Amino acid sequence: MRTRHGQEATERSTAELVAYRLAGFRLSTRQQRFERLDPPGEAIPLSTKLYYLLLTFAARPGEVIDKDSIVEAVWPGQVVTDAALAKQMQRLRNVLADGEPEPPSIETHRGRGYRLTCEVEREYAPAVSPTAGNESGRSKPVRKWRAAAILAVMAATTAVAIATDLLSRAPPATRAIAVLPVSDQTTALSEGAAEYFAARLGDYAVLAPELARSESPAQAGEIGSLQLYRQRNGPVAAVQLARSGEKYQLWVNLRSPQAVASTTMRDESIQRLLERGSDWVGQQTGAELAAAPSSDAYALASYFQGLVSADCDQAASFLKAAVTSDEGLTQARLRLLRCEEARGDTLEAASGAAALATLAEQNGNSALALDAHLLAARAHRKLGNADEARRHLDAGLATMERAATPMQRMSALAAVALLANLNGSPEQALNAQQERLELALSEYPIPQFVADIHLDIAEVGLANGDYALMRTHAEAARELIEEFGSHESLVRSYRFLITSYFRANDMDAAVQLALSAGSIVDAASATPDKAYFMQFAAIALNGRGHLRAGREYSARLRKLEADSANPMYGALADMTVFHRLYAKGAYAEGYAFATSLRERIEANNNRHSSLPLALAFEAIAAARGAPVTAARAIIERLEQDYPDVDALRPDRTRALGHLLIREGKIADGIRVLREAEALFRDAGVESVADYVGYEIAEARLATEEQAPWDDLGRLLRDQPANYQLARLMGIAHARDGNFIAATTELETARLRGHELWSEEDQLLLESYRSTLATADARPETNN
């Protein structure tokens, strides 16, 4: 006979764990909610990390959990310092107790880990058992969730969960099913499947933005549905489709207040597979299904074959077959036009999109009309037809006002922002992106999606020189991205951050980022964002004397050039090499390198756009390391060939200032260098402006009797003394006879200079020490 304890255990094994009760609180595993028990229902805000940290301890009360296990549960796949972990543990203690209870709610076991000391009760609810489809078409009960399974899912969702402070209020309840395409593929299969599901669900469905995940398909769908469901208080169907050999495989995870269910199906017929999958969702939710987007099996198969084709030419042939077989398959027609635009058939894309927009308007399909108008606007912009682009943009904007779903409006706003940028309307672009961000936060607060919009706003800041805006949104994106770990988006945020550091001369922050980002950069794909980050990383490292690390980034750029066959990346690598030589003071070697670089560019038309910059490098290096006559000729050539390029004016002025000093025209040279410093500051490049300031102080130290404390003090006010500034201040103190201060400053320079610290610097330091020792040994005289 079964005992009562055994019966209770059996009952719980068939029930769903829904909450933990501990220390006067209730922690919900369904809603990611933490609330007081007295008074009941009072919610306590928890960040995502704190939620999963507490969840980890609640599942293992009284057990010492080692640091590695905690990090794996709360920060999967991330490197977490002991200090960061300790900070989160202190925050968790503060949440659990206002004071310092005895014993503490969480004990620290040094060298081992942490232990939750309070008692924990588990709260269960009867499991819901809706039927789930399988490959044979027979129904089966939904998987029962035990405590261990809940923990596994919650730990997996840590990397994608959005911070609770993103939402200022709970989202309204909705009966519409959010169809969420989830994919780890480079193809658009899941997106196409979601479109099919949404079409069949009709008014019962809204499309959600695609979520890219790296987990297994079943786990990725579970993560995606839980993540979105927590934020919208409405049903979510996460859909993932992939090709498996000769068959397609479909995963669907459905989450609603009534049920949590999932199914996996395989079929060689894409039509049968999608029909079965959408039928299953309809059965689970009670939604009345509409007709499929196409009843033509060949057209639908061709459409999805086009979605799985990585090559645009191959995709176009399948999409054409789909449209020819079924003209009503409008999504295939729209994708075909996008493919033609990507292939360079811009005129065909423009005319086809205009025709499709007209047809969509006649049929009352505002969503399709919106997409078609915006595609036509982009194509006409590329063709230089500004009036036509604006006409379609206006039509798209009018359609946008009638957009039925938030996703349609967000897509429109993204395109509007792009076109506004291209048309030189930064304010309109910024307004569109900010409205898009507000919609995302209120409707689809998925970390990856929200982070990418933050990065789009950062792009607007970069394009318009608003570096404070760029930095603010890049930091917001980085915080979100670190929650779900997308290398591509993370590197994009790094690019904006290091650019802002460079502009503001916050080089210590730039170096810290550069030194920590190498493995993440290597894991990201070859993109311009990655290349530009590596360029600035190398320059920051060079400037702070981390020359070996700077060389590693230069080598990464060389590899990127070889892997992508894109010479632009090689040009960026050349820039970092030149900068390293200049930072070392190897002016003659830098001049030889810049001359060789310029000659290679002149012989290679593919890199001709880099010629002005290479010539500017050559002029700067020549002014300090070439014969005076040769330097004068190069500076004059830069003036003659590019008189109207404002971006080259600061470099040209800087080179001329150094040349004048070498010609003995000291006062004129320093005056011209001051002009160059002002030009760099006006351009918002504070790091280069300060470096020119160091060069001015250096020139004055070499030519004037009095130490240039006015310039040194001015530079020191804006930043702590780095290697260059500390070295100059040491020389200035020695000029004034203050060898104690001179030695101290050179010691600072040695510590901060790293590999820039030279033998000459060491000899100078030793001479100052010797002078001090001599003075200390001199006997005192009594008058």
Side-chain angles (χ1 to χ4, degrees), residues 632-650:
R632 172 69 66 178
I634 293 170
I635 294 171
E636 288 176 352
R637 179 186 171 185
L638 186 63
E639 174 71 34
Q640 292 167 2
D641 291 356
Y642 304 100
D644 300 324
V645 180
D646 289 339
L648 298 178
R649 187 181 168 201

Side-chain angles (χ1 to χ4, degrees), residues 751-770:
L751 291 173
R752 304 214 69 182
H754 303 287
E755 295 165 70
L756 288 177
W757 183 256
S758 65
E759 292 181 6
E760 291 80 2
D761 293 332
Q762 185 63 34
L763 290 173
L764 193 62
L765 176 59
E766 290 174 2
S767 72
Y768 293 166
R769 288 172 175 168
S770 177

Side-chain angles (χ1 to χ4, degrees), residues 160-217:
V160 297
I162 193 166
T164 54
D165 59 1
L166 277 178
L167 293 178
S168 59
R169 62 181 186 277
T174 175
R175 64 187 291 269
I177 304 166
V179 183
L180 175 71
V182 182
S183 175
D184 62 353
Q185 308 291 323
T186 56
T187 65
L189 279 178
S190 293
E191 190 177 350
E195 291 169 356
Y196 183 99
F197 274 51
R200 289 212 65 198
L201 289 166
D203 293 339
Y204 289 87
V206 292
L207 269 173
E210 186 175 20
L211 179 65
R213 297 298 305 159
S214 59
E215 292 85 3
S216 66

